[in-house]
Amino acid sequence: MEIGDTLAENTRGSYLRSEGPLIAAVGVEDLIVIATPDAVLVASRHADQDVKKVVERLKASNHDTAVQTRRVYRPWGWYEGLHAGDRFQVKRLTVNPGGKLSLQKHFHRAEHWVVVNGTAEVHVDGVHKLIGENESVYIPLGAQHRLANPGKVPLNLIEVQSGAYLGEDDIVRFEDVYARA
C-alpha cells in the first residue's frame, strides 16, 4: 500500500506512507516506511509491535520528537518552525478565522510578520491596522503586540524572529482570550 509521495519498484508486502519527502523503495519486502515532517520510521512488518519500544526509548532520553512535533497547536491555530540559525528563526503561523493571539511583548526578540494569504488585524503599541496578502509589519523588541484573524478564511503568515534569545518562554501576556498565563 502506498500513500503520499511514494514510488515502489519490485516491492512486495510493504506499507509506504509519506507526509513529506518522496519515499522510493526498491526490491524490498514486508517493510513499513513512514516519513513525516518530524521523523522517518523503517520497520519490518513482522516487528510492528516493537515501535512502542522505540517511542519509550525516545521518551526516556527526552528526545524532542517524543515530546513535541514540528507543528505546535494553540487555541488560535498552529505554528511550525521552518528554519533557525544564530539569533534568528523563521516560523509559519496559521490563525483560524476569529482566532486571536494574546496581547504580549518579548524582552529578547523582535518580529517581522509577512502575510501570505488572508487578512491580519495587528496591534503594535496601541496602533491598530489591517494588513493583507504580501504586506508586512515589524514588531520592535519590547513592543506590546497582538495578531488576530478577523476574516472568514485561515490567515497564513511568515514570522521572522531575531534577537539574543528566541525561546517560547520569552512571552509576557497582558490579555488572553483563552485564559493562558
Side-chain angles (χ1 to χ4, degrees):
M1 173 181 258
E2 298 176 52
I3 299 171
D5 196 5
T6 62
L7 175 67
E9 184 66 37
N10 193 23
T11 298
R12 290 180 296 281
S14 295
Y15 176 81
L16 309 176
R17 178 183 177 146
S18 177
E19 297 173 11
L22 167 69
I23 294 174
V26 180
V28 298
E29 289 184 31
D30 299 326
L31 285 183
I32 298 169
V33 182
I34 301 172
T36 71
D38 302 305
V40 176
L41 169 71
V42 179
S44 166
R45 284 187 80 125
H46 307 293
D48 61 345
Q49 294 300 311
D50 291 337
V51 171
K52 59 185 162 194
K53 292 178 185 176
V54 172
V55 173
E56 289 168 6
R57 286 182 60 189
L58 290 170
K59 286 180 182 177
S61 67
N62 285 330
H63 194 279
D64 290 343
T65 305
V67 294
Q68 183 173 335
T69 60
R70 261 181 61 178
R71 187 169 284 185
V72 179
Y73 291 89
R74 296 288 188 246
W76 45 262
W78 55 268
Y79 70 86
E80 68 181 320
L82 301 177
H83 189 70
D86 187 33
R87 299 182 55 90
F88 79 93
Q89 67 180 342
V90 181
K91 293 181 176 179
R92 174 188 173 186
L93 281 73
T94 296
V95 182
N96 297 327
K100 182 185 291 190
L101 282 69
S102 59
L103 179 62
Q104 59 187 259
K105 75 174 182 178
H106 309 289
F107 288 112
H108 304 286
R109 72 174 183 246
E111 298 176 343
H112 193 133
W113 298 336
V114 180
V115 174
V116 176
N117 68 300
T119 301
E121 182 180 347
V122 177
H123 303 255
V124 181
D125 280 339
V127 176
H128 305 236
K129 60 182 168 180
L130 294 176
I131 59 173
E133 186 173 317
N134 205 30
E135 294 180 320
S136 65
V137 63
Y138 175 69
I139 315 298
L141 184 137
Q144 279 194 11
H145 60 282
R146 169 177 270 160
L147 173 66
N149 179 357
K152 296 183 188 300
V153 298
L155 164 65
N156 289 288
L157 59 93
I158 300 299
E159 176 182 85
V160 179
Q161 300 175 354
S162 60
Y165 177 72
L166 306 172
E168 283 300 308
D169 58 345
D170 180 27
I171 297 176
V172 177
R173 288 190 173 92
F174 298 97
E175 296 175 15
D176 186 66
V177 298
Y178 310 108
R180 295 174 294 174

